[in-house]
Amino acid sequence: MAVIPQTVDALTSATEPREGWRAAVGDFILQRPLGAAGAAIILLMVALAASADVLAPFDPLTTDYGAMLSAPGPGHWLGTDAFGRDVLSRIVYGSRTALMVGLGASLIGAVFGALIGVGSAYFGGRVDLVVQRVMDVFFAFPVIILALAVVAILGTGVGNVILAIATPMVPRCARVVRASALAVRETPYVDAARAAGFGHGRIILRHMLPNVMAPLLIMATAFLGEAILLESSLSFLGLGVQEPTAAWGLMLRGAAVEFAESAPWMAFFPGLAISLAVFGFNLFGDSLRDALDPRLRTQ
Amino acid sequence: MAKLLQVNHLRTTFATSTGLVRAVDGVSWDVEEGETVALVGESGCGKSVSALSIMRLIAPPAGRIESGEIFFKGRDLLRLSDEEMREVRGSEIAMVFQEPMTSLNPVLTVGRQLTEGMEIHYRTQPAAARARALKLLEMVGISDPERRLPQYPHHFSGGMRQRIMIAMALACNPQLILADEPTTALDVTIQAQILELMRNLSRELGVAMLIITHNLGVVARYADRVNVMYAGRIIEQATAAELYANPRHPYTLGLLHSVPRLDEPRRARLDPIEGQPPDLTRLPPGCAFQPRCKYRVERCVEAPPLVPLDAAGHCAACWEAANIASASRVTA
């Protein structure tokens, strides 16, 4: 008697696809090795940022005038800068700034972009028209110019840099989300939600937003890499994070330019860190897009 | 019985690039408490727009309810504020849609979708709402509701999803359910199950239903009264039994003759209605059906009013209704 249900159970568990995040992570690594490499770079960066206090051999702010401009070697693995500060330590601490600005900016950009995009698609008509024209105005400016303008208004500093980088991301995110939300808007379940007497806010947040999460997530990941690059650019121009905070873009300016020929490590290693970080986020973002796109999903 | 819903001279229009479309053109009909009323007609005759007008879900700015009154329990729905109307939707009048595959939100669990309305309209506590959701699933014939509640819509088949839609519609104890082609997307055997379920539930709970359909078989079995629509107008109104026994409008007659019957020889030719439904932006003068009508007379260029033909409330909008009555008896 009891044998039959057991066999049925065994059958279903054998044929059912593996579920749970463990299986999902495993599949991702196997099917998208490049994406997994990107994820590894990101994880390394997060680990560096989280344990900077332990990992960094020197204090990133301490100047050592006895060891100014020393080449990479046993004492200072990646050399020192014009003030004798350890380049490796500054890169390790700089990952904090990069991640904070990257995460902060893409989070703010994604949240506001998503709300504007879904709201614009949901209300449609004149609201949509006006919102999209405002977004067009923002689109007209190159990203870096827009960010520079915001810094010029708000001033420098980590918080303001985050806002400055988030600003150009909002319209881009809003546009992508709106495109998906327009399709969602026409689905019967949104009509059904309206017929059930739900308010606009509830329909936008609870019924439509979760259905545009896939493109939103991809945008946010792609933004992360870009935000890090943008932060470096702003800092390089002197309009981002200010000295003496450790930031990668900051390490490329000033003395690094002056001594580019005699002490190239000052610029080389932070530049490498920026490239690697952006590369990692882009690889991961691309693979994430492929993994979440049902049309590209393999059996 | 008291009138639960009374629609008077409702006119809903859509502004299109080719002109103003009168999707619903001055129709009047009603639903009594606990009754099942059918709106029948071809695609594009204004059935769904009628239902959406009652819910006030006609999409502006193109769509507009131009005139008319919709009395629900004595209140004119068209005069309610947006906030008041939102309270009516879902809690007093619920709607079941045509497409069960896409009418449920794919990213929310079935349990969440069942309980949300109760929590919004009646501030039901989550535990109580969950208990009711379990009971609702049982009522609509879904076994093992405990296990089903946390599942997502893609775990369910089309028929089961329509059962869930019905459970959602019943969640807040509405007095009226608008069912817009509730079985069109389902297999024939499932259609019968769903319609049986809806009829039984509506009787048990005393919920009135408006069934919108193009399927005359559905009407015959499940509706008490029928409104036949053509080009945005009601052209015949009668009880279901009377309509079948004694159709008085040429269009209704045509519809009945164009359905294959099992009790006739297989070789018997079907008798389709010639021509196409009219373009709603360029309606013919007078009766909209006259270009396709076999019984056309000169007077048809004047629009015939919907007039009562007998004391039982059988109405038809045709100048020749009296002659057709005898004709339909002969052919039947």
Side-chain angles (χ1 to χ4, degrees), chain B residues 22-302:
Chain B
R22 286 186 180 158
V24 174
D25 193 4
V27 303
S28 302
W29 48 275
D30 54 64
V31 179
E32 286 174 8
E33 269 171 33
E35 188 189 34
T36 299
V37 172
L39 270 186
V40 193
E42 294 169 71
S43 309
C45 72
K47 298 168 295 184
S48 299
V49 174
S50 300
L52 289 175
S53 299
I54 292 167
M55 284 298 221
R56 279 189 28 200
L57 289 177
I58 299 291
R64 205 163 79 82
I65 299 176
E66 218 164 70
S67 59
E69 294 164 321
I70 299 172
F71 284 103
F72 179 72
K73 294 199 293 184
R75 286 192 299 175
D76 188 352
L77 296 184
L78 298 182
R79 289 170 187 276
L80 296 186
S81 69
D82 286 347
E83 197 55 49
E84 287 170 318
M85 191 59 217
R86 198 177 300 153
E87 287 297 313
V88 171
R89 285 184 204 133
S91 70
E92 294 182 77
I93 307 178
M95 204 159 170
V96 175
F97 286 85
Q98 176 173 356
E99 285 283 338
M101 305 310 275
T102 49
S103 299
L104 291 167
N105 195 324
V107 299
L108 299 177
T109 64
V110 162
R112 181 65 211 146
Q113 298 189 57
L114 277 165
T115 52
E116 191 166 18
M118 295 182 246
E119 286 171 20
I120 301 295
H121 289 296
Y122 296 118
R123 311 213 172 284
T124 314
Q125 291 303 307
R130 193 187 127 84
R132 174 142 172 84
L134 287 173
K135 205 175 143 232
L136 284 165
L137 283 186
E138 215 163 290
M139 269 163 66
V140 297
I142 287 178
S143 55
D144 202 357
E146 272 303 337
R147 190 172 64 87
R148 288 304 204 164
L149 216 51
Q151 291 187 331
Y152 287 88
H154 69 265
H155 290 115
F156 294 82
S157 68
M160 286 170 99
R161 288 189 210 184
Q162 198 60 300
R163 285 171 192 268
I164 292 165
M165 287 301 295
I166 293 168
M168 279 171 68
L170 291 171
C172 293
N173 281 323
Q175 284 101 330
L176 176 65
I177 293 180
L178 309 178
D180 188 358
E181 304 262 11
T183 59
T184 306
L186 303 174
D187 287 347
V188 183
T189 48
I190 309 291
Q191 286 187 7
Q193 288 177 14
I194 294 290
L195 286 162
E196 286 295 327
L197 174 75
M198 289 180 74
R199 178 167 64 178
N200 294 342
L201 286 173
S202 103
R203 280 188 189 158
E204 248 169 66
L205 306 171
V207 189
M209 274 206 297
L210 176 74
I211 296 188
I212 294 172
T213 182
H214 59 259
N215 186 335
L216 286 165
V218 169
V219 175
R221 283 193 65 164
Y222 301 100
D224 300 316
R225 283 190 301 138
V226 186
N227 298 293
V228 184
M229 284 189 80
Y230 187 78
R233 293 195 185 149
I234 289 180
I235 49 105
E236 189 158 10
Q237 252 170 0
T239 62
E242 167 74 5
L243 190 85
Y244 277 84
N246 192 13
R248 301 291 284 275
H249 194 283
Y251 176 65
T252 317
L253 199 62
L255 277 183
L256 290 171
H257 283 177
S258 60
V259 178
R261 292 175 60 146
L262 290 172
D263 59 351
E264 277 177 2
R266 205 190 285 186
R267 294 278 171 79
R269 266 179 58 86
L270 281 179
D271 195 5
I273 303 175
E274 300 293 333
Q276 293 290 320
D279 178 350
L280 288 175
T281 56
R282 284 189 296 271
L283 283 178
C287 172
F289 188 63
Q290 49 104 347
R292 304 169 75 184
C293 185
K294 282 195 268 187
Y295 301 86
R296 183 174 56 231
V297 293
E298 270 174 33
R299 216 183 158 189
C300 290
V301 293
E302 258 175 76

Side-chain angles (χ1 to χ4, degrees), chain A residues 227-238:
Chain A
I228 290 171
L229 197 61
L230 208 53
E231 182 264 317
S232 303
S233 311
L234 285 178
S235 299
F236 177 73
L237 293 174

Side-chain angles (χ1 to χ4, degrees), chain A residues 109-124 127-129 131-132 135 169-185 204-205 208-209 212 216:
Chain A
V111 167
F112 281 93
L115 289 179
I116 292 173
V118 177
S120 177
Y122 175 75
F123 288 110
V127 176
D128 190 36
L129 193 74
V131 170
Q132 290 311 311
M135 294 294 126
M169 300 209 161
V170 169
R172 289 199 286 163
C173 193
R175 179 146 294 182
V176 169
V177 167
R178 172 181 171 268
S180 305
L182 278 177
V184 173
R185 172 75 186 83
I204 289 173
L205 292 177
M208 290 179 71
L209 198 56
V212 297
L216 184 61

Side-chain angles (χ1 to χ4, degrees), chain A residues 7-75:
Chain A
T7 2
V8 169
D9 275 350
L11 266 178
T12 46
S13 61
T15 49
E16 260 177 32
R18 289 187 295 161
E19 281 189 30
W21 64 272
R22 249 174 234 271
V25 170
D27 286 350
F28 186 80
I29 292 173
L30 283 179
Q31 286 171 10
R32 306 186 194 284
L34 278 180
I41 295 173
I42 295 170
L43 284 179
L44 177 73
M45 198 174 151
V46 171
L48 278 184
S51 48
D53 297 326
V54 186
L55 286 180
F58 295 90
D59 185 286
L61 306 182
T62 308
T63 50
D64 179 358
Y65 293 106
M68 283 194 308
L69 296 174
S70 43

